[in-house]
Amino acid sequence: MGFFEKLKNGLFKSRNSFFGRIVSLFKRGIDDETLDELEEILISADVGVNSTEEILDKLRERVKEEKITDGEEATKVLKEILVEMIGESKPLDLSTEPSVLLVIGVNGVGKTTSIGKIANHLKTEGKNVILAAADTFRAGAIDQLQVWADRAGVDLVKQNEGSDPAAVVFDAISAAKKRRADVLIVDTAGRLHNKKNLMAELAKINRVIDRELPGCSRETLLVLDATTGQNAVNQAKEFKNCADITGLVLTKLDGTAKGGVVFSIKELLDIPVKYIGVGEQIDDLRPFDPTEFVNALFD
């Protein structure tokens, strides 16, 4: 099964509960009553109030300008507007050898599994990947990452539980240099409840990277659980105050009917979604393609 089929299957709840209803709605005609119902659907799907208003304004304008009365044409235009709202996809910056991905996120969002899946995806593209187990204080985090490193077939640099995360990163950078790794992925602690410690820890890790890999391409990816809806948006706001986030990894989209949270996140944070996950398998996390995503919501 190709990833688009997996994506369609994974977005079944969102399509069945909300976005699929839009197609049926438009078949009745395009008028004020239809657009009012569309507004309710979009807000219920966690698209967000401001994004919904912007979508409706653009749709009304195009319906008027292009004299659209056909439901299929209205659906096509709406999909174009939604893709435009998300913006162009932004792939990872992996322009140096090695490049560094710092991965952050609270416990339970799928951070460690996402790292394993990203490593697997990059390896299938021919990249030499090394993981760094710098989430050293959460019980079992290192062992969990080892399991995913083994599944992906990549090396893991680790120390004992409770070790200094920055020391782990130092060792991992040394290994990346020696083994001519293309990408170093660093698992970090997700202690959002103590922002001071989190900021200090990330700053220390970044200082090590600056010193040992000056000028390297660096991404800070925040992992969010799509099933938490607006809570995921709130988490992203908090983390944005702690770190220079360059991209989002949105997991568990197959577990929620509110896939519209992607639009809400874009509106409120203006941080690109770089990966989405729609399942438990190692190949169920892929780079985010806005057009593919919107088509899967409706198809």
Side-chain angles (χ1 to χ4, degrees):
M1 183 188 296
F3 185 70
F4 183 67
E5 288 302 316
K6 287 187 177 183
L7 182 60
K8 284 201 300 181
N9 291 341
L11 293 177
F12 170 79
K13 290 182 180 179
S14 292
R15 185 170 60 252
N16 193 49
S17 299
F18 299 107
F19 291 92
R21 288 164 48 197
I22 295 172
V23 178
S24 300
L25 177 66
F26 282 173
K27 287 179 180 177
R28 291 172 14 204
I30 314 299
D31 53 26
D32 289 340
E33 184 179 345
T34 303
L35 295 178
D36 285 344
E37 287 190 48
L38 174 61
E39 181 177 19
E40 291 178 17
I41 291 172
L42 293 176
I43 291 175
S44 298
D46 259 357
V47 171
V49 175
N50 293 335
S51 288
T52 295
E53 289 179 359
E54 185 176 345
I55 291 165
L56 287 169
D57 287 344
K58 289 181 177 180
L59 182 60
R60 285 191 181 98
E61 185 178 340
R62 288 196 56 180
V63 165
K64 183 178 179 180
E65 285 180 356
E66 300 171 29
K67 297 181 174 57
I68 296 171
T69 57
D70 179 68
E72 285 189 17
E73 184 63 26
T75 301
K76 178 184 174 185
V77 169
L78 176 59
K79 288 163 71 173
E80 290 172 0
I81 291 169
L82 292 175
V83 171
E84 181 185 306
M85 290 281 292
I86 298 173
E88 293 183 8
S89 59
K90 294 184 178 179
L92 295 175
D93 179 3
L94 303 176
S95 54
T96 63
E97 183 187 294
S99 298
V100 178
L101 307 182
L102 286 177
V103 185
I104 61 179
V106 299
N107 296 338
V109 296
K111 176 168 61 76
T112 306
T113 56
S114 293
I115 289 170
K117 292 174 181 180
I118 292 171
N120 178 72
H121 178 257
L122 293 175
K123 188 184 177 187
T124 62
E125 292 190 329
K127 303 288 187 186
N128 180 9
V129 181
I130 290 180
L131 307 185
D135 185 357
T136 59
F137 296 102
R138 179 169 66 87
I142 298 171
D143 291 340
Q144 185 185 7
L145 191 60
Q146 181 68 69
V147 169
W148 280 99
D150 293 342
R151 287 179 185 173
V154 300
D155 291 338
L156 173 67
V157 175
K158 60 185 178 180
Q159 293 185 11
N160 294 328
E161 193 172 301
S163 300
D164 179 4
V168 177
V169 173
F170 177 84
D171 286 351
I173 290 173
S174 298
K177 289 177 178 177
K178 288 176 184 175
R179 301 171 200 173
R180 298 187 63 82
D182 298 301
V183 185
L184 170 62
I185 307 178
V186 180
D187 186 14
T188 67
R191 297 195 301 253
L192 186 56
H193 60 279
N194 193 330
K195 285 191 278 186
K196 186 177 179 182
N197 281 359
L198 178 63
M199 290 176 72
E201 189 174 294
L202 291 174
K204 190 174 180 182
I205 288 172
N206 277 308
R207 285 196 298 272
V208 170
I209 297 170
D210 288 338
R211 186 181 71 235
E212 301 300 321
L213 290 173
C216 73
S217 298
R218 190 182 319 177
E219 296 260 8
T220 301
L221 303 178
L222 172 62
V223 181
L224 297 172
D225 178 348
T227 64
T228 63
Q230 290 301 309
N231 187 47
V233 178
N234 294 332
Q235 281 181 22
K237 287 180 180 176
E238 291 294 317
F239 270 107
K240 195 175 181 182
N241 294 328
C242 299
D244 182 19
I245 302 167
T246 60
L248 302 175
V249 179
L250 202 57
T251 66
K252 308 179 188 179
L253 271 165
D254 56 316
T256 180
K258 298 193 174 185
V261 71
V262 171
F263 304 95
S264 186
I265 286 172
K266 175 63 178 177
E267 172 212 331
L268 294 171
L269 303 170
D270 198 29
I271 300 172
V273 176
K274 299 214 171 182
Y275 279 91
I276 57 171
V278 289
E280 297 299 320
Q281 301 303 312
I282 197 167
D283 59 349
D284 286 342
L285 186 85
R286 291 292 183 90
F288 180 62
D289 181 321
T291 301
E292 189 177 62
F293 175 75
V294 170
N295 283 336
L297 279 175
F298 285 85
D299 196 341

